[in-house]
Amino acid sequence: MCKPVLDKLEKWTGEKKKASEIKIQLYEKELEFIEAELCLEEVVEDLDEDLKMREKEEENLEMDLQEDKNRSVSAQQEEKSFAKDEEEEEDVTPSSFGSVTQDEDPTKNDGKGNRSAGAPFLHLHCHSLPAAFFQQ
């Protein structure tokens, strides 16, 4: 009578042991899945952060490009207005000041030791000199 009870007890404990080992394996698998899920969540969070940073960088680049474009457009407009102002200045010559050649200093030599031909009083003095003076 003891032997069949002991056999049944051994069989029952063996089955329970097997079931416990299977449960342990299932728990281990479930733990691996949970760990993998946590890792995936971390990766997704990191990717989201990277995406946000890249979007900000792209936004900054677009803003910089827009600023550069605005600067170049304003620089072109300034150049056009400067050129227009220069054209207007060139078109308007003040009549009271005379030309540039009239403003030159009459005491300057022309490189040959002669005084400038455009000196205003030279003409008057030349008429008063005898012709022999010029024939030297």
Side-chain angles (χ1 to χ4, degrees), residues 14-90:
E15 289 174 1
K16 288 291 182 185
K17 186 178 179 183
K18 236 183 194 180
S20 295
E21 287 175 1
I22 292 173
K23 281 185 179 181
I24 289 173
Q25 288 176 353
L26 288 174
Y27 288 139
E28 287 174 353
K29 291 285 184 188
E30 189 174 350
L31 182 62
E32 288 176 14
F33 287 136
I34 291 171
E35 288 175 350
E37 185 179 2
L38 289 174
C39 287
L40 286 174
E41 286 177 1
E42 288 177 8
V43 168
V44 168
E45 287 175 5
D46 290 343
L47 289 174
D48 282 341
E49 288 176 15
D50 288 343
L51 180 63
K52 287 177 184 177
M53 288 176 56
R54 287 185 183 178
E55 286 175 349
K56 284 183 181 179
E57 288 175 0
E58 287 178 8
E59 216 173 276
N60 290 340
L61 286 175
E62 287 177 7
M63 288 173 36
D64 290 344
L65 287 174
Q66 185 65 32
E67 287 176 5
D68 290 344
K69 185 178 178 183
N70 291 343
R71 284 185 193 138
S72 67
V73 167
S74 64
Q76 289 173 353
Q77 289 175 347
E78 286 179 18
E79 288 176 9
K80 286 180 183 178
S81 67
F82 182 71
K84 193 182 270 187
D85 289 345
E86 283 184 349
E87 287 176 9
E88 289 174 1
E89 287 176 7
E90 289 174 3

Side-chain angles (χ1 to χ4, degrees), residues 114-117 121-136:
N114 299 329
R115 295 203 174 227
S116 297
F121 298 108
L122 182 64
H123 183 64
L124 294 174
H125 293 291
C126 291
H127 287 293
S128 62
L129 294 175
F133 181 78
F134 290 106
Q135 292 178 353
Q136 292 178 357

